[in-house]
């Protein structure tokens, strides 16, 4: 294609919110293909197993990349793509030498027992590549490439050949800008930030889309003038990805700037919680979502446990997280998930996951049905406020999803029903049902003792008055009987 060709391909961008049409110039696509042929590399002898729906922009590499160099494209049907065993068999039968997929797609193959091959090359992109999966893939192929790029930048913008040095953290870093592409970490003004300082990932170069179709305001917000490019009219696309530049030149992905969860005044990056959960030796994959709305909103962790591992209890998982995360970032529930729901593009469907795990009850110990008072009354209030069926003496209000706003509701209801003067601070000081019941019992005992003391004092005063009156009457009687007549 001629660089002057201004025809467009239209892709759909955005995994959340309303989709946005993204036009990509033909010359941007042809430049991207030339770069991919160079690095990671495609040759006439390659047989690429294509598994991506044409609705996802990365399918352009699978369909056009091998053909422009004289290679072969092997098309997998939708049923095969969803079945790890069938896909592994197709890869072997067709003699595939390279495949591109999302991390979810590669996990499907690995868990189906796919052995890989000494000459097989693995392209992985679309979501963060976990180091645990990267190790599995490195053991099954000649090369593993971590690819990164939003739809707004003609498919991939960076390609990093994964080495052992990249496996230190929970996810593999991003790196290696492709030909004709510039990648920077910038502050809100678009200026580069120092090494190691978190910032926003911005991308420039020939692969950029001219903007969102029929959305000029959004285009102006995301495609901004490059203050450091030195070229008139140069533009940067602000990805919304929060990253930091590492000492080796690679980029660590820290989450989404616009994908933060806000719960009760706290802005939470769920990626930080997921990374910490993924460091647990028994967890194969973790995804944290916000479930519910308003005061009832809570963090829920969906967990895929490794085969043969006995899942840890919620208390053990909270302890695992509490060493490095503040209390407001600890999920209220930990839900085992056999397989995460996926979008048609092969990415984890967080919206569907939030709906699914939101229906799951909070995991906790079996309830102790031998609750006396005031524990039973407190348990009833907790169930009302937290939306639970039952609670046990050992349950912790905050571990069950409670927070400061709900604590105030509990305080108000308990004071009304039990006639207490419980302070909201007491719920934080005595967070378990057993300890809070003890505090309430103490207040009730104190109240009863105070009432008894008041009664005794009142009785004493009455007796004193009676005695005084009797003494006075006695003296009057004595005077009357001894007086001269």
């Amino acid at each position: 294609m001629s660089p002057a060709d201004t025809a467009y391909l239209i892709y759909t961008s955005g995994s959340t919110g309303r989709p946005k049409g993204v036009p990509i110039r033909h010359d941007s696509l042809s430049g991207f293909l030339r770069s991919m042929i160079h690095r990671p590399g495609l040759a006439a002898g390659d047989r690429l197993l294509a598994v991506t729906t044409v609705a996802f922009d990365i399918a352009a590499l699978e369909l056009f990349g091998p053909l422009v160099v004289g290679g072969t494209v092997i098309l997998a049907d939708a049923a095969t793509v969803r079945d790890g065993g069938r896909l592994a068999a197709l890869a072997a039968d067709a003699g595939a030498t390279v495949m591109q997929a999302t991390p979810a797609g590669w996990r499907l193959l690995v868990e189906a027992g796919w052995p890989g091959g000494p000459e097989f090359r693995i392209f992985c992109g679309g979501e963060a590549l976990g180091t645990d999966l990267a190790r599995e893939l490195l053991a099954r192929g000649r090369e593993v490439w971590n690819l990164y790029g939003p739809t707004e930048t003609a498919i991939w913008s960076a390609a990093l050949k994964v080495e052992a040095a990249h496996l230190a953290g929970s996810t593999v870093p991003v790196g290696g800008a492709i030909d004709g592409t510039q990648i920077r970490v910038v502050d809100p003004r678009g200026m580069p930030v120092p090494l190691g300082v978190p910032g926003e990932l911005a991308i420039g170069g020939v692969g950029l889309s001219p903007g969102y179709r029929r959305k000029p305001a959004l285009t102006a917000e995301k495609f901004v003038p490059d203050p450091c490019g030195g070229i008139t009219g140069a533009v940067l696309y602000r990805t919304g990805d929060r990253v930091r530049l590492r000492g080796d030149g690679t980029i660590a992905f820290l989450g989404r700037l616009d994908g933060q969860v806000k719960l009760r005044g706290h802005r939470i990056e769920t990626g930080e919680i997921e990374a910490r959960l993924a460091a647990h030796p028994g967890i194969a994959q973790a995804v944290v979502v916000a479930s519910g709305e308003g005061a009832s909103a809570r963090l829920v962790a969906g967990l895929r446990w490794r085969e043969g591992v006995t899942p840890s209890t919620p208390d053990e998982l909270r302890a695992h997280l509490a060493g490095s995360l503040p209390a407001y970032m600890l999920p209220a529930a930990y839900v085992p998930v056999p397989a995460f729901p996926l979008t048609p593009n092969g990415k984890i469907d967080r919206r569907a996951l939030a709906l699914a795990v939101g229906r799951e009850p909070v995991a906790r110990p079996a309830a102790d049905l031998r609750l006396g008072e005031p524990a039973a009354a407190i348990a009833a209030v907790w169930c009302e406020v937290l939306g639970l069926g039952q609670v046990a003496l050992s349950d912790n209000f905050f571990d069950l999803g409670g927070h400061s706003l709900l604590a105030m509701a509990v305080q108000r209801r308990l004071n009304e029903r039990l006639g207490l003067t419980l302070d909201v601070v007491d719920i934080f000081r005595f967070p378990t049902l057993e300890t809070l019941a003890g505090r309430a019992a103490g207040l009730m005992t104190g109240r009863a003792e105070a009432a008894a003391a008041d009664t005794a004092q009142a009785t004493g005063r009455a007796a004193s008055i009676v005695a005084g009156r009797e003494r006075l009457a006695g003296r009057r009687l004595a005077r009357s009987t001894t007086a001269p007549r």
Side-chain angles (χ1 to χ4, degrees):
M1 296 179 185
S2 167
D5 188 350
T6 56
Y8 296 113
L9 300 172
I10 307 294
Y11 292 106
T12 297
S13 171
S15 58
T16 60
R18 299 182 65 182
K20 303 176 284 290
V22 179
I24 297 295
R25 291 187 296 266
H26 280 188
D27 63 308
S28 295
L29 178 59
S30 62
F32 163 75
L33 292 173
R34 284 193 295 270
S35 177
M36 290 291 101
I37 291 167
H38 170 236
R39 182 175 175 274
L42 289 171
D46 274 320
R47 298 174 61 82
L48 188 147
L49 179 55
V51 299
T52 304
T53 169
V54 293
F56 196 4
D57 65 336
I58 69 174
L61 173 60
E62 300 178 8
L63 299 177
F64 301 133
L67 298 183
V68 298
V69 294
T72 302
V73 178
I74 305 156
L75 297 174
D77 60 40
T80 300
V81 170
R82 291 191 294 266
D83 186 322
R86 290 174 60 179
L87 187 59
L90 175 60
D93 295 343
T97 62
V98 60
M99 189 178 109
Q100 171 187 255
T102 64
W106 286 113
R107 285 185 186 277
L108 186 70
L109 265 179
V110 168
E111 292 174 3
W114 173 65
E119 297 302 316
F120 199 92
R121 291 189 304 137
I122 295 166
F123 297 173
C124 187
E127 291 182 302
L129 172 58
T131 51
D132 61 331
L133 177 59
R135 289 189 184 93
E136 296 279 3
L137 296 178
L138 283 170
R140 288 168 168 78
R142 189 181 89 198
E143 296 175 351
V144 175
W145 289 82
N146 188 28
L147 306 175
Y148 167 84
T151 303
E152 289 84 347
T153 61
I155 311 174
W156 305 128
S157 301
L160 177 70
K161 185 179 179 182
V162 181
E163 307 286 355
H166 299 138
L167 305 180
S170 60
T171 58
V172 175
V174 170
I178 69 170
D179 298 342
T181 298
Q182 297 85 47
I183 294 181
R184 299 189 201 138
V185 183
V186 301
D187 63 17
R189 300 170 302 158
M191 302 300 291
V193 300
L195 184 70
V197 175
E200 182 176 6
L201 187 60
I203 302 174
V206 298
L208 287 190
S209 165
Y212 299 108
R213 187 168 181 257
R214 298 175 181 172
K215 293 183 179 291
L218 184 60
T219 297
E221 175 189 345
K222 303 296 287 185
F223 293 83
V224 299
D226 182 359
C228 303
I231 301 175
T232 302
V235 172
L236 289 176
Y237 169 65
R238 305 196 67 147
T239 65
D241 289 334
R242 184 170 178 264
V243 301
R244 63 177 177 83
L245 185 63
R246 306 194 331 170
D248 61 0
T250 60
I251 294 171
F253 185 78
L254 304 177
R256 288 286 300 170
L257 291 171
D258 54 2
Q260 295 174 327
V261 173
K262 188 173 183 180
L263 288 177
R264 293 171 285 283
H266 296 290
R267 293 190 179 276
I268 300 171
E269 281 285 357
T270 56
E272 295 183 39
I273 309 171
E274 292 167 356
R276 181 61 183 152
L277 284 169
H280 189 287
I283 294 175
Q285 191 176 10
V287 178
V288 176
V289 294
S291 178
E293 297 180 353
S296 64
R298 60 178 184 164
L299 291 175
V300 180
L303 304 175
R304 277 200 322 103
W305 291 91
R306 298 186 187 280
E307 187 175 353
V309 170
T310 300
S312 300
T313 66
D315 286 342
E316 291 169 340
L317 291 171
R318 279 188 286 269
H320 171 73
L321 295 176
S324 57
L325 296 176
Y328 65 83
M329 292 183 69
L330 302 186
Y334 302 83
V335 181
V337 178
F340 288 104
L342 303 178
T343 67
N345 292 346
K347 296 185 179 183
I348 292 174
D349 190 335
R350 290 176 176 267
R351 184 174 301 177
L353 179 63
L355 292 174
V357 298
R359 293 190 291 267
E360 293 289 337
V362 177
R364 59 188 190 280
D368 185 346
L369 301 180
R370 299 168 297 174
L371 297 179
E373 292 294 353
I378 297 172
V381 171
W382 281 19
C383 288
E384 293 171 12
V385 171
L386 297 172
L388 303 175
Q390 57 188 21
V391 293
L393 280 172
S394 59
D395 280 340
N396 183 302
F397 177 75
F398 299 99
D399 290 346
L400 297 180
H403 50 76
S404 57
L405 295 178
L406 295 181
M408 294 173 65
V410 167
Q411 176 225 14
R412 184 173 62 253
R413 296 188 189 193
L414 287 178
N415 284 345
E416 290 174 355
R417 297 183 189 183
L418 299 179
L420 298 176
T421 55
L422 190 72
D423 194 286
V424 71
V425 175
D426 289 329
I427 299 175
F428 290 88
R429 292 174 57 209
F430 308 99
T432 68
L433 177 58
E434 185 174 22
T435 57
L436 186 59
R439 170 61 174 166
L443 290 174
M444 295 170 71
T445 300
R447 185 183 63 192
E449 290 176 350
D454 289 344
T455 300
Q457 188 175 15
T459 301
R461 285 197 301 268
S464 297
I465 292 172
V466 170
R469 287 174 176 171
E470 289 177 348
R471 286 193 301 271
L472 181 59
R475 285 195 295 270
R476 287 175 177 171
L477 178 61
R479 284 198 300 270
S480 64
T481 56
T482 59
R485 295 184 184 270

